[in-house]
Amino acid sequence: MRRRMHAALLSVLALVLGSSALVLTTAGPAGADDSGTVTLTPGSGSVDDNPPLTQLTLPDGCPTGYQDQIEIGVALPGGTSDIVYGLTDGAPYSGTDVDVTVPADPGPTTYINSIADAFGNSGATMTDGTYPLNVICESSTGASTSASTFSALIDITGHDWAVKQVAPPATTSVALAITPASFSLTDQPFTLKATVTPSDAVGSVQFFSGPTPVEGGTQALSNGTASVTVPGVAASVYSYTAVFKPTDPTTYASSTSPVVSYNVLAESGITVLDKDNNTLEETPLLKGGDKITVSLTGFLNARDGNPGETVHLKLDDGSSPLPDATADAQGAITNLAVTIPTSIADGCHTLDLTGATSAIKQSFPFKTGADTDCSGDSGGSGDTSGSGDTSGTGDTSGTGDSSGDTAGTGDSSGATSGTGDTSGTAGDSGGTSGGSNLGPLAATGAGGALTYSVLSVLMVAAGGFLVYRVRRDGKLLTFGSGPRD
């Protein structure tokens, strides 16, 4: 009987400790995430005035996607209580120094309370003191983002309120840099780094891709900087910004970085067709006057209203100048007509295509002259600036690698010129698609919850140890006389 009672008591104690841990983990004070100071008109009045405001001025417009309506509330110990909800007069709220008019009467979807009603509706007792007045930007569906909160401080004395007179916050600025600096490849990570001036500003930085917060993109400042790594994304042009949010908006003002456009490129590749639209295999035999059609991917695409980068064409022997090409919105060049110069000499040749901005280089090897042997030539197709095939399979035919392996054992570490051997023949220096790996070209918020989680674990451990000691010593609620079980 005692053993069963002891087991039941152990279960109850474990449940109590687990519940305490859960409460500590999930509970926490509600607070505003301030991004800027709002100007209130009038600057004082009675807490019973309804509406208490006739106008407010935002230092900056609401973020894109959250410009449809505005909510105004007073921050209380139990959370923010609305003074105005669903305000749409003057929307969209964009630009700078945005004036927002509060109507004398609410509309069909707008609710207006006095400051005293805001206290009463929340069940809070209105006492003299200083309170934040928060302005939150929202979408038409009511969705909001923490980067869209503005605030002002009001002093309440008796039945009167007035804007708290404080020194203006120090101005700040944010610079955003992305690494790698010029571009990245699809599915490869890159880093956003914000630098806030002055460097002693205290707060956090939230990173955005367009209007959308970057996943895990709210980071505390450390020595004036904050950064986040973006996992690989699809090929496109992205617009990134960084928003500094001060811990104390009365000390430092919020600020937003200029928009930084960033290119994420598709994997590089090259396809060459003859005059009959047949795909040319590795190092084909051509002659002067032959017409070929070249298509490539992997160059800088169009952005900021500008076309894609210029791509220079050049034959390795420089026998004849070739016209430049321009990459399209996807960073591709499609069906580029090229004529082999009639004056070209017999031998092994490459057609090189190099991005003027990115320095990305792709090459197409070919030969002229029926007796020309290019099996030992080191030139390869595809992207000659990449690291090639890193899979470690390479050319396993044992017939010799086209990069100059004279041992005749084949390259067992992977092709070094592009994508490796895709045809299985001797002297292959890269797949017909050109390389698909740019290699070195792609050079490289919840602190409070974490604290409570650690504390919860410690409590559970301490409780378990306590139960063990009490049970061992036989002091766990023994009923009646007699020895321990």
Side-chain angles (χ1 to χ4, degrees):
M1 177 68 178
R2 289 181 182 174
R3 296 181 186 275
R4 290 194 296 271
M5 184 173 294
H6 287 176
L9 290 172
L10 284 169
S11 300
V12 171
L13 182 55
L15 178 61
V16 170
L17 287 170
S19 300
S20 300
L22 177 61
V23 170
L24 281 172
T25 303
T26 57
D33 197 355
D34 301 315
S35 291
T37 301
V38 63
T39 302
L40 307 180
T41 304
S44 61
S46 169
V47 295
D48 298 315
D49 290 340
N50 192 350
L53 305 170
T54 59
Q55 181 177 295
L56 55 141
T57 302
L58 307 180
D60 297 296
C62 295
T64 302
Y66 303 93
Q67 300 176 343
D68 301 321
Q69 61 185 23
I70 278 179
E71 176 184 343
I72 307 171
V74 58
L76 301 174
T80 298
S81 182
D82 290 337
I83 295 175
V84 176
Y85 176 78
L87 180 61
T88 59
D89 289 22
Y93 302 112
S94 59
T96 57
D97 294 330
V98 181
D99 292 329
V100 180
T101 300
V102 179
D105 298 309
T109 59
T110 303
Y111 302 91
I112 302 178
N113 294 315
S114 67
I115 294 175
D117 288 339
F119 274 83
N121 292 340
S122 69
T125 301
M126 186 171 60
T127 58
D128 291 357
T130 301
Y131 299 87
L133 201 67
N134 296 327
V135 180
I136 302 174
C137 302
E138 297 179 336
S139 69
S140 58
T141 63
S144 62
T145 172
S146 60
S148 65
T149 303
F150 304 89
S151 70
L153 296 176
I154 61 171
D155 284 329
I156 294 180
T157 306
H159 284 275
D160 298 321
W161 70 271
V163 174
K164 184 176 181 65
Q165 299 300 315
V166 295
T171 58
T172 63
S173 62
V174 186
L176 175 61
I178 305 180
T179 303
S182 298
F183 58 86
S184 182
L185 297 181
T186 181
D187 298 328
Q188 293 192 3
F190 51 93
T191 301
L192 310 178
K193 181 179 179 180
T195 302
V196 176
T197 303
S199 59
D200 58 356
V202 179
S204 61
V205 171
Q206 185 168 21
F207 297 91
F208 290 85
S209 174
T212 305
V214 173
E215 183 178 355
T218 299
Q219 300 291 328
L221 277 177
S222 177
N223 297 322
T225 65
S227 61
V228 65
T229 297
V230 179
V233 294
S236 185
V237 179
Y238 296 85
S239 297
Y240 290 100
T241 53
V243 177
F244 167 60
K245 299 179 291 181
T247 300
D248 181 2
T250 64
T251 303
Y252 292 101
S254 65
S255 55
T256 301
S257 73
V259 176
V260 176
S261 294
Y262 193 65
N263 244 311
V264 177
L265 308 183
E267 296 288 352
S268 63
I270 181 170
T271 301
V272 182
L273 307 177
D274 64 14
K275 62 182 179 60
D276 298 320
N277 290 328
N278 297 312
T279 300
L280 293 175
E281 300 299 331
E282 179 67 21
T283 319
L285 174 63
L286 300 176
K287 64 180 182 300
D290 280 354
K291 297 181 182 298
I292 59 175
T293 302
V294 182
S295 297
L296 307 98
T297 59
F299 291 102
L300 294 184
N301 43 9
R303 61 177 177 176
D304 302 330
N306 298 316
E309 72 173 323
T310 298
V311 177
H312 300 308
L313 281 70
K314 180 183 177 182
L315 286 170
D316 58 335
D317 64 355
S319 59
S320 179
L322 297 174
D324 292 336
T326 302
D328 62 17
Q330 285 72 47
I333 295 174
T334 305
N335 296 330
L336 175 65
V338 176
T339 301
I340 303 300
T342 57
S343 60
I344 195 167
D346 290 351
C348 302
H349 301 281
T350 58
L351 173 64
D352 296 325
L353 302 99
T354 307
T357 303
S358 65
I360 293 172
K361 181 180 178 182
Q362 300 190 55
S363 298
F364 175 69
F366 65 95
K367 64 182 179 180
T368 54
D371 297 329
T372 301
D373 180 8
C374 298
S375 60
D377 190 85
S378 60
S381 65
D383 179 7
T384 61
S385 62
S387 59
D389 180 6
T390 60
S391 64
T393 57
D395 178 5
T396 59
S397 64
T399 57
D401 186 272
S402 62
S403 62
D405 180 2
T406 59
T409 58
D411 180 5
S412 62
S413 62
T416 61
S417 61
T419 58
D421 182 5
T422 61
S423 65
T425 60
D428 186 358
S429 59
T432 59
S433 63
S436 62
N437 187 347
L438 284 181
L441 285 177
T444 24
L450 177 61
T451 301
Y452 286 128
S453 299
V454 173
L455 181 58
S456 301
V457 172
L458 292 176
M459 286 189 63
V460 171
F465 179 72
L466 175 62
V467 171
Y468 163 75
R469 288 298 304 270
V470 172
R471 167 123 178 113
R472 191 191 68 176
D473 296 342
K475 299 178 181 180
L476 185 60
L477 295 178
T478 302
F479 295 92
S481 59
R484 289 186 297 165
D485 292 334

